[in-house]
Amino acid sequence: MANDRFANLLAPGRIGTLELKNRIYMTAMGTNLAEPGGVCGERTRAYYGERAKGGVGLITVGSVGVAWPVGSALQNQVAISEDRHVPGIKALVDEVHGHGAKIALQLHFGGLVAATDMKEGRPVWTPSIPSGKAGDLMEGFLEAELAAADFLKYGEIKFRVMTREDVRELVRLFVAAAQRTRASGADGIELHGGHGYIFSSFLSPYTNKRTDEYGGSVENRARLLLETIGGIRSALGRDFPLWVKIDTQEFGKPEGIGVEDAMTVSRLAEAAGADAITASTYADQAWGINHSGSNIPDVPEIMVPGAMAVKSAVKIPVLASGRIELAAADRHIGEGGFDFLGLGRPLLADAQLARKLTEGRAADVRPCIYCYCCVSQIYFSRPVKCAVNPDTGFERELAIAPAATRKRVVVIGGGPAGLETARRLAQKGHEVMLLEQSDRLGGTAQFAAIAYQPNERVVEWLRRQIDASGVDVRLKTRATPELIRSLSPDTVVVATGAVRAMPPIPGAQRPNVLSGEDMRRLVLGEDLGSLKGKTGWSTRIATKVGALTGATKSFELIRSATRAWMPLGKRIVIIGGELVGLELAEFLAHRGRQITVIDDGARFGAGLHIVRRWRVLAELRQLGVARLTQATEIAIGENCVTYVNLNGQARKVGADHVIVAKGATGDLGLADSLRAAGFNVHTAGDCGGVGYIEGAMGDAARVAAAI
């Protein structure tokens, strides 16, 4: 069925001799899903096969090592460095072809960022000895992460400045890998020429200080890449599809690759026989915020100008990616800005994205919330996963299949865990009733959606899915053993969330002190009577009116309104430096408040994945948010918070309001009482321990699979 809304995205495309059914491709990403020895196994086939079944035109298998284990960036990286790797790749190719998609291998050699070489004591290949540069990476890691991190166990990193013989050997390795790629039945090759890997380090004047024919001018710095293209063309001929990924800019590196360099390299690659250019970016990786500031950007469309510049320089197609919304990508393609849209994180969140667009079901696409769960796995040598889609990496194990026996299931709790559990159970064919004691679905995630806007997308998606699922939703319904018994369920799922008790902090009873639960009630207009004494009557009336009119149900309206007015003073101290406290600090700082975050921990940001944590910590610093770590004897006084700092000195911070953003714990009381009453009970989400949206969605998938 045609979908005019995305007519350009869904139109057929062509890269060299490769015919593609649409302009959506799965961009290359590292996954750490390979079997020992770099072999492509069942888990990898399931992962890519699901995206192929989901309707993309092209799958690009990321980071396929041409010299494995030498040059490997990931511990469990797919390889094609030996003939023994071909059968596994061929099985993957057959899987993807069986679902009507095409598949290319991204040939890869890590060079200066070959983490496996560093870990195993091999010298990393480089055009020249790199210069060290200070940064703030280590500040973002939690103590437990530092204790477990591989990169702290590398020892001294050794370098192998490549000779002309090494250059010839590397070209030979790429050509041999290209020949195996064709033998596997794959449809094309992408040479990874970006992101600090070997071609990129030659292309960048920041890392290439050579004075021979492989250094100096942009033409010389491109020589290794061009010789590799030429070698592959000599071996495979002109008809086998071959394209190159390059960086159009290195953010934070004034002496690095610039757009003009990229345009020149693109023209040279086209002349050498490249069928397309994948336009990416890179950044100074010594600074944490840059890890979400280039090729996996937090800022939408930051890579689009570079792609457009390359498009203006060449006649071959240009592939673009990097947090480009679907409607925007369709417009850019229609206007000739680039030719293909690469999706990474969105296809982890919903493997069926392209098929849903084709069927006119864009609203059914499960949204990515840009939390960097997926990317952060790489820093700890773990397999890829997705916070909102627990099926990612477990496509076979968690696949939703019709239940052998239809059951009557009561799900208690309308937050993400309850909603996702109910959705999955309904898809399996069970009769599902969902009980929620408030007047709306979303749970605490509604509050999280106000502080961090992308969360809104998954809350709204879950609501829409439940509306369409046939689940019997009962709002304003408190679950009791008596009520549950009257419903005669075969199984009960308790997904009631965490409890947020006020920790025993001296002065916590003061009227200017709000707990996380108080903030949720205030923002959502719930149980306002409990806030008497903490807020004025005018505030409670305004909030009540907002609740009655439905204004407090609009996330965007709340975000907009709070920029103009909030019943909070200028100086706010937040006690608690984990995810909730930091996101709240950022939200309030953007609304003109002077924020101090204080905690007894040595590191802030637990609950945030490392790549997003780096960004949040940097943005808080830019916003002037004070962060006080290792504080003891925290107490709340008259318009102040007192504490003892890490040097043993007594200190005081002025505070018009204090928000306590800690104290959330699991609560299995209801689950235990229902079990005692004889019910078959499962639990999901924060009632079993705080796990945020990722924990809620993962629990929901596991519980639904078990019923």
Side-chain angles (χ1 to χ4, degrees):
M1 176 171 59
N3 184 348
D4 292 340
R5 182 181 173 195
F6 299 106
N8 298 309
L9 268 179
L10 299 176
R14 183 184 178 99
I15 299 175
T17 60
L18 181 59
E19 300 282 352
L20 299 172
K21 62 184 178 183
N22 58 45
R23 304 299 184 96
I24 301 172
Y25 75 98
M26 184 178 190
T27 190
M29 293 174 285
T31 65
N32 260 327
L33 292 176
E35 305 297 321
V39 173
C40 179
E42 169 64 17
R43 200 172 176 191
T44 301
R45 290 196 299 275
Y47 169 81
Y48 287 112
E50 190 67 18
R51 275 81 201 165
K53 185 166 64 175
V56 297
L58 173 68
I59 297 284
T60 316
V61 181
S63 303
V64 181
V66 302
W68 189 95
V70 176
S72 298
L74 305 176
Q75 193 67 38
N76 294 302
Q77 181 175 326
V78 173
I80 198 164
S81 55
E82 301 175 45
D83 290 346
R84 66 184 177 87
H85 293 127
V86 173
I89 297 288
K90 186 178 187 308
L92 170 61
V93 169
D94 292 343
E95 174 90 23
V96 169
H97 284 169
H99 296 300
K102 304 296 186 181
I103 182 169
L105 304 189
Q106 182 194 69
L107 301 187
H108 169 274
F109 187 92
L112 282 171
V113 285
T116 304
D117 285 346
M118 298 176 194
K119 181 179 180 180
E120 298 177 1
R122 291 185 294 272
V124 295
W125 293 36
T126 177
S128 52
I129 297 294
S131 56
K133 196 169 185 180
D136 66 350
L137 283 187
M138 303 309 294
E139 296 175 17
F141 287 99
L142 304 177
E143 290 176 306
E145 292 170 341
L146 290 171
D150 278 350
F151 58 83
L152 291 181
K153 305 168 187 173
Y154 289 167
E156 181 184 0
I157 297 174
K158 295 172 282 188
F159 300 100
R160 175 172 173 169
V161 176
M162 291 173 62
T163 64
R164 290 180 176 84
E165 290 72 25
D166 290 333
V167 168
R168 286 192 288 272
E169 173 62 10
L170 189 64
V171 172
R172 186 195 69 77
L173 289 167
F174 271 94
V175 171
Q179 291 171 316
R180 294 188 189 99
T181 299
R182 184 173 62 179
S184 75
D187 302 295
I189 291 168
E190 178 178 81
L191 295 179
H192 201 327
H195 304 178
Y197 300 126
I198 195 66
F199 294 123
S200 172
S201 63
F202 270 83
L203 287 168
S204 174
Y206 178 78
T207 47
N208 186 347
K209 306 298 184 184
R210 297 174 75 103
T211 57
D212 63 3
E213 68 270 32
Y214 293 95
S217 68
V218 64
E219 291 79 8
N220 281 357
R221 287 183 275 115
R223 192 178 302 277
L224 171 61
L225 175 63
L226 300 176
E227 288 179 353
T228 303
I229 295 171
I232 293 173
R233 281 291 176 227
S234 294
L236 302 188
R238 188 63 187 81
D239 291 339
F240 193 79
L242 169 68
W243 60 95
V244 179
K245 174 179 276 189
I246 64 168
D247 300 317
T248 63
Q249 189 173 349
E250 290 185 289
F251 296 108
K253 293 182 179 180
E255 64 275 54
I257 294 169
V259 173
E260 291 296 331
D261 289 339
M263 294 169 71
T264 300
V265 170
S266 298
R267 285 190 288 262
L268 292 170
E270 179 180 24
D275 291 314
I277 303 294
T278 303
S280 191
T281 59
Y282 199 51
D284 182 353
Q285 300 291 290
W287 297 93
I289 194 170
N290 287 342
H291 289 247
S292 57
S294 57
N295 57 296
I296 43 171
D298 179 75
V299 177
E301 298 198 32
I302 194 172
M303 294 161 60
V304 168
M308 290 181 169
V310 168
K311 177 67 175 172
S312 72
V314 296
K315 296 182 176 61
I316 52 179
V318 172
L319 292 71
S321 62
R323 199 168 178 176
I324 308 171
E325 295 296 331
L326 298 172
D330 189 81
R331 185 184 74 254
H332 288 309
I333 292 172
E335 294 172 351
F338 52 80
D339 301 281
F340 292 86
L341 172 67
L343 295 176
R345 291 170 287 176
L347 286 175
L348 303 184
D350 194 334
Q352 302 298 310
L353 181 150
R355 186 175 304 282
K356 290 177 180 178
L357 294 190
T358 302
E359 295 172 353
R361 298 191 294 124
D364 286 339
V365 173
R366 185 194 310 240
C368 172
I369 59 172
Y370 303 104
C371 65
Y372 291 96
C373 168
C374 51
V375 180
S376 295
Q377 292 291 95
I378 299 302
Y379 294 82
F380 304 102
S381 300
R382 298 170 186 154
V384 67
K385 66 176 181 178
C386 175
V388 298
N389 183 8
D391 297 356
T392 294
F394 297 93
E395 284 75 15
R396 302 279 198 258
E397 298 90 333
L398 294 177
I400 299 174
T405 303
R406 191 170 193 254
K407 295 181 179 180
R408 186 177 176 88
V409 185
V410 171
V411 178
I412 305 171
L419 296 175
E420 179 68 356
T421 302
R423 183 190 75 85
R424 285 175 172 265
L425 290 172
Q427 278 197 313
K428 292 181 70 172
H430 294 304
E431 179 186 358
V432 185
M433 285 166 285
L434 176 65
L435 311 182
E436 166 57 41
Q437 66 179 0
S438 76
D439 65 348
R440 71 191 80 170
L441 298 176
T444 305
Q446 298 172 94
F447 183 52
I450 293 166
Y452 180 59
Q453 187 171 358
N455 285 336
E456 175 184 346
R457 301 168 68 162
V458 76
V459 172
E460 295 291 5
W461 179 81
L462 284 166
R463 288 172 172 170
R464 289 194 300 272
Q465 295 300 301
I466 290 296
D467 286 345
S469 69
V471 171
D472 180 1
V473 177
R474 303 186 184 185
L475 299 176
K476 300 182 182 178
T477 302
R478 184 171 175 270
T480 64
E482 294 74 25
L483 174 61
I484 303 301
R485 187 169 287 108
S486 73
L487 298 173
S488 303
D490 298 299
T491 301
V492 177
V493 179
V494 176
T496 47
V499 293
R500 291 165 175 79
M502 180 68 78
I505 301 171
Q509 75 286 351
R510 290 180 177 273
N512 66 332
V513 180
L514 298 167
S515 68
E517 189 66 14
D518 292 333
M519 289 293 295
R520 187 183 71 83
R521 290 168 179 160
L522 181 63
V523 169
L524 300 179
E526 298 177 352
D527 192 16
L528 295 174
S530 65
L531 297 176
K532 192 174 182 179
K534 293 179 178 284
T535 58
W537 65 269
S538 59
T539 294
R540 293 196 300 279
I541 289 175
T543 305
K544 186 65 175 178
V545 169
L548 291 173
T549 61
T552 57
K553 294 183 179 180
S554 168
F555 300 123
E556 185 54 42
L557 184 58
I558 293 172
R559 282 191 291 266
S560 298
T562 52
R563 291 187 181 276
W565 175 82
M566 283 191 300
L568 297 173
K570 182 73 172 177
R571 301 172 303 166
I572 300 174
V573 173
I574 297 172
I575 301 176
E578 298 188 358
L579 179 151
V580 174
L582 296 191
E583 287 191 345
L584 186 57
E586 190 171 26
F587 176 82
L588 293 172
H590 277 298
R591 283 151 180 79
R593 275 25 180 208
Q594 178 183 318
I595 308 297
T596 299
V597 183
I598 184 170
D599 202 345
D600 56 3
R603 302 267 176 156
F604 280 5
L608 292 164
H609 291 284
I610 182 61
V611 175
R612 176 156 156 71
R613 190 188 310 142
W614 275 322
R615 172 161 291 275
V616 170
L617 292 174
E619 289 179 346
L620 290 176
R621 186 164 53 244
Q622 293 166 5
L623 288 166
V625 173
R627 291 180 283 139
L628 307 176
T629 60
Q630 296 178 270
T632 60
E633 300 181 35
I634 298 171
I636 303 168
E638 183 71 27
N639 294 324
C640 71
V641 171
T642 61
Y643 67 100
V644 175
N645 68 17
L646 57 85
N647 296 317
Q649 299 165 308
R651 290 289 184 264
K652 179 191 294 186
V653 181
D656 301 313
H657 277 92
V658 178
I659 300 172
V660 180
K662 61 191 307 179
T665 58
D667 179 14
L668 296 174
L670 178 59
D672 291 341
S673 69
L674 292 175
R675 286 193 183 101
F679 295 101
N680 177 32
V681 177
H682 296 264
T683 61
D686 286 355
C687 67
V690 177
Y692 307 106
I693 285 179
E694 177 187 345
M697 303 296 271
D699 282 354
R702 289 184 285 273
V703 168
I707 297 175

